[in-house]
Protein backbone atom coordinates (compact mmCIF):
# COMPACT_ATOMS: atom_id res chain seq x y z
CA UNK A 1 0.00 0.00 0.00
CA UNK A 2 1.28 3.45 -0.88
CA UNK A 3 1.00 5.88 2.01
CA UNK A 4 1.09 9.64 2.16
CA UNK A 5 4.11 11.24 3.85
CA UNK A 6 3.57 13.31 7.00
CA UNK A 7 2.53 16.95 6.55
CA UNK A 8 0.51 19.72 8.21
CA UNK A 9 -3.02 19.94 6.81
CA UNK A 10 -4.99 23.20 6.70
CA UNK A 11 -8.62 23.79 5.60
CA UNK A 12 -9.30 27.53 5.46
CA UNK A 13 -12.75 28.85 4.59
CA UNK A 14 -11.79 31.89 2.53
CA UNK A 15 -9.43 32.68 -0.32
CA UNK A 16 -7.77 35.31 1.85
CA UNK A 17 -7.01 32.82 4.62
CA UNK A 18 -5.72 30.26 2.14
CA UNK A 19 -3.46 32.86 0.53
CA UNK A 20 -2.14 33.92 3.95
CA UNK A 21 -1.17 30.35 4.84
CA UNK A 22 0.41 29.87 1.43
CA UNK A 23 2.44 33.06 1.85
CA UNK A 24 4.08 31.77 5.02
CA UNK A 25 6.26 29.23 3.17
CA UNK A 26 5.22 28.93 -0.50
CA UNK A 27 8.13 26.69 -1.50
CA UNK A 28 7.17 23.97 0.99
CA UNK A 29 3.38 24.38 0.78
CA UNK A 30 1.02 22.89 -1.77
CA UNK A 31 -2.62 23.51 -2.59
CA UNK A 32 -5.04 20.63 -2.99
CA UNK A 33 -8.38 20.91 -4.77
CA UNK A 34 -9.99 17.54 -5.56
CA UNK A 35 -6.77 15.66 -4.84
CA UNK A 36 -6.97 13.31 -7.82
CA UNK A 37 -3.52 14.41 -9.00
CA UNK A 38 -1.71 15.58 -5.86
CA UNK A 39 -2.47 12.67 -3.52
CA UNK A 40 -1.23 9.95 -5.93
CA UNK A 41 1.83 12.08 -6.71
CA UNK A 42 2.64 12.46 -3.03
CA UNK A 43 2.12 8.74 -2.42
CA UNK A 44 4.58 7.94 -5.21
CA UNK A 45 6.91 10.65 -3.82
CA UNK A 46 6.77 12.67 -7.03
CA UNK A 47 5.78 15.69 -5.00
CA UNK A 48 6.20 16.56 -1.36
CA UNK A 49 5.09 19.27 1.05
CA UNK A 50 5.49 20.29 4.64
CA UNK A 51 2.03 21.88 4.54
CA UNK A 52 -0.97 21.09 2.36
CA UNK A 53 -3.75 23.68 2.08
CA UNK A 54 -7.13 22.28 1.06
CA UNK A 55 -9.57 24.56 -0.79
CA UNK A 56 -12.53 22.24 -0.15
CA UNK A 57 -14.21 24.64 2.31
CA UNK A 58 -13.68 27.82 0.29
CA UNK A 59 -17.24 28.13 -0.99
CA UNK A 60 -16.45 31.25 -3.04
CA UNK A 61 -14.50 29.04 -5.46
CA UNK A 62 -17.46 26.82 -6.36
CA UNK A 63 -20.03 27.33 -9.10
CA UNK A 64 -20.62 29.03 -12.42
CA UNK A 65 -22.05 32.47 -13.04
CA UNK A 66 -22.99 34.26 -16.26
CA UNK A 67 -21.63 37.59 -17.43
CA UNK A 68 -23.81 40.28 -18.97
CA UNK A 69 -22.65 39.44 -22.50
CA UNK A 70 -23.28 35.70 -22.24
CA UNK A 71 -19.84 34.58 -21.11
CA UNK A 72 -19.16 32.46 -18.04
CA UNK A 73 -17.04 32.79 -14.91
CA UNK A 74 -16.20 29.37 -13.51
CA UNK A 75 -14.98 28.89 -9.95
CA UNK A 76 -11.79 26.85 -9.82
CA UNK A 77 -13.22 24.37 -7.28
CA UNK A 78 -16.24 23.50 -9.44
CA UNK A 79 -16.20 19.77 -10.02
CA UNK A 80 -15.78 18.31 -13.48
CA UNK A 81 -19.05 16.42 -13.03
CA UNK A 82 -20.96 19.61 -12.29
CA UNK A 83 -19.54 21.28 -15.39
CA UNK A 84 -20.42 18.34 -17.63
CA UNK A 85 -24.00 18.56 -16.31
CA UNK A 86 -24.27 22.34 -16.73
CA UNK A 87 -26.55 23.04 -19.74
CA UNK A 88 -24.86 26.39 -20.38
CA UNK A 89 -21.63 24.61 -21.30
CA UNK A 90 -23.37 22.08 -23.52
CA UNK A 91 -25.38 24.79 -25.32
CA UNK A 92 -22.75 27.53 -25.74
CA UNK A 93 -19.41 25.73 -25.49
CA UNK A 94 -19.91 22.13 -26.70
CA UNK A 95 -16.20 21.67 -27.40
CA UNK A 96 -15.34 22.62 -23.83
CA UNK A 97 -18.09 20.35 -22.49
CA UNK A 98 -16.75 17.47 -24.59
CA UNK A 99 -13.20 18.04 -23.37
CA UNK A 100 -14.24 18.04 -19.72
CA UNK A 101 -16.44 14.96 -20.19
CA UNK A 102 -13.42 13.10 -21.62
CA UNK A 103 -11.32 13.58 -18.48
CA UNK A 104 -10.58 10.32 -16.64
CA UNK A 105 -13.67 8.43 -15.39
CA UNK A 106 -17.02 9.38 -13.77
CA UNK A 107 -15.78 8.60 -10.26
CA UNK A 108 -12.71 10.82 -10.61
CA UNK A 109 -14.72 13.59 -12.28
CA UNK A 110 -16.86 13.64 -9.13
CA UNK A 111 -13.74 14.59 -7.15
CA UNK A 112 -11.64 16.41 -9.73
CA UNK A 113 -11.96 20.17 -10.16
CA UNK A 114 -11.56 22.40 -13.19
CA UNK A 115 -8.81 24.45 -11.54
CA UNK A 116 -6.94 21.27 -10.71
CA UNK A 117 -7.15 20.07 -14.29
CA UNK A 118 -5.78 23.36 -15.61
CA UNK A 119 -2.83 23.03 -13.20
CA UNK A 120 -2.31 19.31 -13.81
CA UNK A 121 1.27 18.11 -13.32
CA UNK A 122 3.10 17.21 -16.52
CA UNK A 123 3.48 13.49 -17.17
CA UNK A 124 6.12 11.09 -18.52
CA UNK A 125 6.45 7.31 -18.75
CA UNK A 126 9.60 7.49 -16.63
CA UNK A 127 8.57 10.09 -14.07
CA UNK A 128 5.15 8.57 -13.40
CA UNK A 129 6.47 5.25 -12.09
CA UNK A 130 6.68 4.47 -8.38
CA UNK A 131 9.68 5.59 -6.38
CA UNK A 132 11.33 2.16 -6.22
CA UNK A 133 11.19 1.84 -10.02
CA UNK A 134 12.69 5.30 -10.56
CA UNK A 135 15.34 4.84 -7.89
CA UNK A 136 16.54 1.56 -9.42
CA UNK A 137 18.22 3.50 -12.26
CA UNK A 138 18.32 7.08 -10.97
CA UNK A 139 15.88 9.91 -10.60
CA UNK A 140 15.18 12.09 -13.62
CA UNK A 141 15.68 15.85 -13.71
CA UNK A 142 11.99 16.45 -12.95
CA UNK A 143 12.58 15.06 -9.47
CA UNK A 144 16.03 15.02 -7.79
CA UNK A 145 18.05 13.85 -10.80
CA UNK A 146 20.06 15.61 -13.49
CA UNK A 147 19.20 13.62 -16.64
CA UNK A 148 16.06 13.45 -18.77
CA UNK A 149 15.88 9.68 -19.36
CA UNK A 150 13.58 10.20 -22.34
CA UNK A 151 16.05 12.54 -24.08
CA UNK A 152 19.36 12.08 -22.19
CA UNK A 153 21.21 14.73 -24.20
CA UNK A 154 18.54 17.37 -23.65
CA UNK A 155 19.17 20.21 -21.18
CA UNK A 156 15.46 20.36 -20.32
CA UNK A 157 12.61 18.13 -19.13
CA UNK A 158 10.12 17.00 -21.78
CA UNK A 159 7.29 15.77 -19.55
CA UNK A 160 3.96 16.26 -21.32
CA UNK A 161 1.11 18.63 -20.58
CA UNK A 162 -1.86 16.26 -20.26
CA UNK A 163 -4.75 18.54 -19.35
CA UNK A 164 -7.81 18.10 -21.57
CA UNK A 165 -9.54 21.30 -20.52
CA UNK A 166 -6.68 23.71 -21.25
CA UNK A 167 -6.70 23.40 -25.08
CA UNK A 168 -10.49 23.80 -25.09
CA UNK A 169 -10.38 26.91 -22.89
CA UNK A 170 -7.49 28.32 -24.93
CA UNK A 171 -9.43 27.93 -28.17
CA UNK A 172 -12.12 30.11 -26.59
CA UNK A 173 -9.71 32.85 -25.50
CA UNK A 174 -10.22 32.22 -21.79
CA UNK A 175 -8.40 34.02 -18.99
CA UNK A 176 -7.76 33.14 -15.33
CA UNK A 177 -7.61 35.04 -12.06
CA UNK A 178 -4.69 34.37 -9.70
CA UNK A 179 -4.85 35.52 -6.07
CA UNK A 180 -2.07 35.84 -3.50
CA UNK A 181 -1.67 37.65 -0.19
CA UNK A 182 -0.25 40.55 -2.22
CA UNK A 183 -3.34 40.92 -4.41
CA UNK A 184 -5.05 39.55 -7.53
CA UNK A 185 -4.25 39.56 -11.22
CA UNK A 186 -6.09 38.28 -14.29
CA UNK A 187 -4.06 36.98 -17.22
CA UNK A 188 -4.86 35.28 -20.53
CA UNK A 189 -4.83 31.54 -19.97
CA UNK A 190 -2.13 31.26 -22.62
CA UNK A 191 0.26 33.07 -20.27
CA UNK A 192 -0.26 30.49 -17.52
CA UNK A 193 1.70 27.80 -19.35
CA UNK A 194 5.43 27.42 -19.88
CA UNK A 195 6.94 24.88 -22.29
CA UNK A 196 9.05 23.23 -19.61
CA UNK A 197 8.22 19.87 -18.06
CA UNK A 198 9.39 20.95 -14.61
CA UNK A 199 8.34 24.61 -14.36
CA UNK A 200 5.25 24.24 -16.50
CA UNK A 201 3.16 27.01 -14.89
CA UNK A 202 3.84 30.74 -14.77
CA UNK A 203 1.70 30.87 -11.64
CA UNK A 204 3.80 31.77 -8.61
CA UNK A 205 3.93 29.29 -5.74
CA UNK A 206 2.10 31.79 -3.51
CA UNK A 207 -0.78 32.23 -5.97
CA UNK A 208 -4.15 30.48 -6.10
CA UNK A 209 -6.05 30.03 -9.35
CA UNK A 210 -9.53 31.15 -8.34
CA UNK A 211 -11.60 31.71 -11.52
CA UNK A 212 -11.70 30.96 -15.23
CA UNK A 213 -13.28 33.63 -17.46
CA UNK A 214 -14.77 32.39 -20.74
CA UNK A 215 -15.87 35.03 -23.27
CA UNK A 216 -19.27 34.74 -24.94
CA UNK A 217 -19.02 32.39 -27.92
CA UNK A 218 -20.79 34.62 -30.42
CA UNK A 219 -21.06 32.79 -33.74
CA UNK A 220 -18.12 30.47 -33.00
CA UNK A 221 -18.55 26.72 -33.16
CA UNK A 222 -16.27 24.57 -31.00
CA UNK A 223 -15.14 20.98 -30.70
CA UNK A 224 -12.50 18.80 -29.07
CA UNK A 225 -11.00 15.51 -30.22
CA UNK A 226 -8.99 13.28 -27.93
CA UNK A 227 -6.67 10.41 -28.81
CA UNK A 228 -6.11 7.74 -26.15
CA UNK A 229 -5.89 3.97 -26.00
CA UNK A 230 -9.11 3.42 -24.03
CA UNK A 231 -12.40 5.25 -24.23
CA UNK A 232 -12.20 6.30 -20.58
CA UNK A 233 -9.72 6.86 -17.75
CA UNK A 234 -6.64 7.46 -19.95
CA UNK A 235 -4.83 10.77 -20.27
CA UNK A 236 -4.67 12.19 -23.80
CA UNK A 237 -1.76 11.30 -26.05
CA UNK A 238 -3.16 13.99 -28.32
CA UNK A 239 -5.89 16.55 -27.78
CA UNK A 240 -7.05 18.99 -30.45
CA UNK A 241 -9.40 21.86 -29.66
CA UNK A 242 -10.81 24.26 -32.22
CA UNK A 243 -13.16 27.20 -32.43
CA UNK A 244 -14.33 28.28 -35.86
CA UNK A 245 -16.38 31.23 -37.07
CA UNK A 246 -17.54 31.40 -40.69
CA UNK A 247 -18.65 34.38 -42.71
CA UNK A 248 -22.31 34.79 -43.66
CA UNK A 249 -21.78 32.61 -46.75
CA UNK A 250 -21.14 29.62 -44.45
CA UNK A 251 -17.94 28.71 -46.32
CA UNK A 252 -15.32 31.40 -45.73
CA UNK A 253 -13.31 31.35 -42.50
CA UNK A 254 -13.77 34.55 -40.52
CA UNK A 255 -11.75 33.43 -37.51
CA UNK A 256 -10.28 30.20 -36.18
CA UNK A 257 -8.25 29.00 -33.19
CA UNK A 258 -6.53 25.60 -33.08
CA UNK A 259 -4.80 24.35 -29.94
CA UNK A 260 -2.94 21.07 -29.46
CA UNK A 261 -2.54 19.23 -26.17
CA UNK A 262 -0.21 16.41 -25.08
CA UNK A 263 2.39 17.19 -27.76
CA UNK A 264 4.78 19.30 -25.66
CA UNK A 265 5.18 20.43 -22.05
CA UNK A 266 2.54 23.14 -22.64
CA UNK A 267 -0.50 23.41 -24.92
CA UNK A 268 0.58 24.49 -28.41
CA UNK A 269 -1.16 26.91 -30.75
CA UNK A 270 -1.19 26.04 -34.45
CA UNK A 271 -0.76 29.69 -35.42
CA UNK A 272 0.51 29.11 -38.97
CA UNK A 273 -2.46 26.90 -39.76
CA UNK A 274 -4.83 29.55 -38.39
CA UNK A 275 -3.23 32.27 -40.51
CA UNK A 276 -3.58 30.13 -43.62
CA UNK A 277 -7.28 29.45 -43.00
CA UNK A 278 -8.50 32.99 -42.23
CA UNK A 279 -10.26 34.53 -45.19
CA UNK A 280 -10.21 31.31 -47.19
CA UNK A 281 -12.99 29.03 -48.42
CA UNK A 282 -12.64 25.62 -46.84
CA UNK A 283 -11.87 22.74 -49.18
CA UNK A 284 -9.95 19.48 -49.13
CA UNK A 285 -6.67 20.93 -50.42
CA UNK A 286 -6.78 23.82 -47.94
CA UNK A 287 -7.56 21.47 -45.04
CA UNK A 288 -4.63 19.21 -45.92
CA UNK A 289 -2.26 22.15 -46.10
CA UNK A 290 -3.52 23.56 -42.79
CA UNK A 291 -3.07 20.15 -41.16
CA UNK A 292 0.57 19.97 -42.25
CA UNK A 293 1.18 23.42 -40.79
CA UNK A 294 -0.53 22.39 -37.55
CA UNK A 295 1.84 19.47 -37.20
CA UNK A 296 4.94 21.68 -37.33
CA UNK A 297 4.85 23.03 -33.74
CA UNK A 298 4.00 19.60 -32.31
CA UNK A 299 7.04 17.65 -31.12
CA UNK A 300 5.83 14.56 -29.27
CA UNK A 301 8.59 12.34 -27.86
CA UNK A 302 8.58 8.70 -26.81
CA UNK A 303 7.45 9.50 -23.27
CA UNK A 304 3.81 8.50 -23.32
CA UNK A 305 1.55 5.92 -24.96
CA UNK A 306 1.80 4.99 -28.67
CA UNK A 307 4.73 5.56 -31.03
CA UNK A 308 5.59 9.26 -31.09
CA UNK A 309 6.01 9.43 -34.88
CA UNK A 310 2.50 8.07 -35.35
CA UNK A 311 1.14 10.52 -32.75
CA UNK A 312 2.66 13.40 -34.71
CA UNK A 313 1.03 12.14 -37.89
CA UNK A 314 -2.32 11.93 -36.10
CA UNK A 315 -2.15 15.68 -35.50
CA UNK A 316 -2.82 16.12 -39.21
CA UNK A 317 -5.71 13.64 -39.23
CA UNK A 318 -7.34 15.24 -36.21
CA UNK A 319 -7.03 18.79 -37.48
CA UNK A 320 -8.67 17.84 -40.78
CA UNK A 321 -11.40 16.00 -38.86
CA UNK A 322 -12.30 18.82 -36.52
CA UNK A 323 -12.37 21.41 -39.29
CA UNK A 324 -14.68 19.21 -41.35
CA UNK A 325 -16.92 18.70 -38.34
CA UNK A 326 -17.20 22.42 -37.58
CA UNK A 327 -17.74 23.46 -41.20
CA UNK A 328 -20.39 20.85 -41.93
Amino acid sequence: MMRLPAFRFEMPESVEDAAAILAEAPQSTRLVAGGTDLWPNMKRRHQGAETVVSLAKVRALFGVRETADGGLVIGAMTSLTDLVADPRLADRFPGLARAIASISSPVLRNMGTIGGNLCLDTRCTYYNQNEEWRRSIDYCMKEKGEVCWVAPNSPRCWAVSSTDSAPAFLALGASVTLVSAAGARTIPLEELYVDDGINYLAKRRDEILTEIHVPAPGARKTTYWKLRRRGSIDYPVLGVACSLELEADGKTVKDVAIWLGAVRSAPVRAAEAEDLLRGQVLGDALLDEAAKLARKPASPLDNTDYVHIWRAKMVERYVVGILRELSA
Side-chain angles (χ1 to χ4, degrees):
M1 177 185 293
M2 295 188 295
R3 299 183 183 276
L4 287 168
F7 54 85
R8 179 170 66 112
F9 188 63
E10 298 283 354
M11 294 189 74
E13 297 185 5
S14 70
V15 174
E16 293 76 17
D17 287 346
I21 299 170
L22 194 58
E24 293 173 5
Q27 297 306 312
S28 60
T29 303
R30 291 191 182 275
L31 294 168
V32 65
T36 58
D37 190 46
L38 180 65
W39 296 142
N41 281 352
M42 291 185 69
K43 287 181 178 181
R44 292 190 299 259
R45 304 308 190 260
H46 292 135
Q47 296 172 323
E50 293 179 8
T51 301
V52 174
V53 180
S54 170
L55 301 176
K57 288 189 176 181
V58 184
R59 302 313 304 172
L61 300 183
F62 290 77
V64 181
R65 67 179 188 272
E66 296 187 50
T67 60
D69 63 354
L72 297 178
V73 179
I74 303 173
M77 283 295 292
T78 307
S79 76
L80 303 175
T81 294
D82 285 347
L83 288 175
V84 170
D86 193 314
R88 292 169 294 187
L89 259 70
D91 291 343
R92 302 179 204 172
F93 309 99
L96 177 60
R98 180 187 290 185
I100 296 171
S102 77
I103 296 170
S104 192
S105 64
V107 172
L108 291 178
R109 287 196 296 273
N110 289 341
M111 291 294 296
T113 67
I114 193 61
N117 190 255
L118 286 177
C119 296
L120 188 70
D121 192 19
T122 53
R123 302 183 58 80
C124 172
T125 50
Y126 186 92
Y127 171 72
N128 286 100
Q129 302 295 330
N130 62 40
E131 185 180 24
E132 290 76 14
W133 190 97
R134 290 176 287 128
R135 193 171 55 200
S136 65
I137 301 175
D138 194 6
Y139 294 104
C140 67
M141 65 169 60
K142 186 166 166 64
E143 195 238 351
K144 299 181 184 179
E146 298 180 354
V147 176
C148 172
W149 292 111
V150 174
N153 294 323
S154 174
R156 56 156 288 183
C157 168
W158 287 93
V160 175
S161 172
S162 299
T163 160
D164 285 292
S165 63
F169 277 119
L170 286 162
L172 291 165
S175 58
V176 292
T177 296
L178 305 173
V179 175
S180 70
R185 62 186 178 120
T186 298
I187 61 172
L189 180 59
E190 182 176 359
E191 294 180 9
L192 181 66
Y193 297 104
V194 180
D195 191 19
D196 183 315
I198 299 172
N199 301 306
Y200 57 95
L201 293 178
K203 180 178 77 68
R204 301 195 311 266
R205 289 293 295 268
D206 67 333
E207 289 183 312
I208 304 167
L209 193 159
T210 59
E211 294 179 336
I212 305 102
H213 306 263
V214 189
R220 290 179 296 175
K221 298 170 66 177
T222 63
T223 192
Y224 178 77
W225 285 25
K226 176 175 182 173
L227 175 64
R228 55 182 167 180
R229 187 171 294 272
R230 297 176 291 184
S232 184
I233 301 175
D234 289 349
Y235 289 94
V237 291
L238 170 65
V240 181
C242 182
S243 68
L244 177 69
E245 182 178 357
L246 298 177
E247 298 285 4
D249 62 9
K251 299 178 182 179
T252 306
V253 177
K254 182 176 182 180
D255 198 15
V256 62
I258 303 171
W259 282 85
L260 312 177
V263 293
R264 293 183 69 98
S265 298
V268 175
R269 186 166 200 165
E272 288 188 51
E274 294 173 1
D275 290 342
L276 173 71
L277 291 167
R278 291 189 185 97
Q280 301 297 314
V281 175
L282 294 177
D284 290 344
L286 181 66
L287 293 181
D288 289 341
E289 187 176 355
K292 289 182 173 62
L293 290 175
R295 179 179 173 175
K296 287 173 60 178
S299 57
L301 296 179
D302 194 16
N303 56 354
T304 186
D305 199 7
Y306 292 126
V307 177
H308 62 287
I309 297 174
W310 180 78
R311 286 161 45 214
K313 185 64 177 176
M314 289 302 292
V315 172
E316 297 182 33
R317 299 290 186 264
Y318 271 43
V319 168
V320 169
I322 62 173
L323 289 170
R324 284 178 175 160
E325 176 189 323
L326 293 178
S327 61

